[in-house]
Amino acid sequence: MKRSEVARYDAFLGIGVGKSSNCAALLDRSCDGPLMLRKVAQDEGEVRALLSEAAGLGELLVTVDQYGAFGRLVVAVARDIGVDVAHITPHKFRQVAETYGEGKSDAKDAFVIADVSRSQPRNIDPV
């Protein structure tokens, strides 16, 4: 995506998708820190509640680390409620995650996904 394309978003929700749960980090444009950082079950009701809450901040972009298999639920719910969805490939994710320092956790991955969407949109693609 181009920087001009993400300029219209007020909030960026990065979701590390998992088999039974997802980890989500929500950032606003200023990124003073995560506004939300939590695990959410791989359940339509919980995903819908998460996305609806995040969309309350304004125009929202949801970025996932996979949009097939386990990521399909997040993508389907986002589209259903009118939220744009993007994807970061595993290769690009590994490259940018290295710049965020050592250590790996679901929470850190979700933060990196959200922050890359906000600050490095060339590394994400629309779903």
Side-chain angles (χ1 to χ4, degrees):
M1 291 182 91
K2 296 179 183 174
R3 185 165 295 281
S4 60
E5 292 175 306
V6 298
R8 68 185 177 101
Y9 297 106
D10 302 306
F12 303 85
L13 183 64
I15 301 179
V17 178
K19 182 177 181 178
S20 60
S21 68
N22 307 303
C23 193
L26 179 65
L27 306 176
D28 64 8
R29 181 151 302 288
S30 67
C31 189
D32 293 329
L35 302 173
M36 172 196 310
L37 187 59
R38 69 175 179 229
K39 286 199 177 235
V40 177
Q42 187 69 300
D43 170 82
E44 182 178 351
E46 289 199 31
V47 171
R48 188 172 296 277
L50 168 73
L51 298 182
S52 296
E53 180 182 342
L57 292 175
E59 193 71 26
L60 176 66
L61 176 63
V62 174
T63 304
V64 294
D65 58 352
Q66 59 172 305
Y67 59 90
F70 305 127
R72 286 186 180 147
L73 177 62
V74 172
V75 172
V77 171
R79 286 183 172 161
D80 185 56
I81 65 172
V83 172
D84 292 340
V85 185
H87 168 256
I88 184 168
T89 66
H91 176 72
K92 287 182 182 177
F93 177 79
R94 281 190 301 275
Q95 286 180 324
V96 294
E98 289 177 4
T99 67
Y100 284 78
E102 295 295 321
K104 177 166 175 27
S105 70
D106 291 344
K108 180 180 176 188
D109 289 356
F111 175 82
V112 169
I113 294 166
D115 196 44
V116 166
S117 301
R118 182 190 64 82
S119 63
Q120 301 174 41
R122 68 187 174 280
N123 289 312
I124 62 172
D125 299 304
V127 172

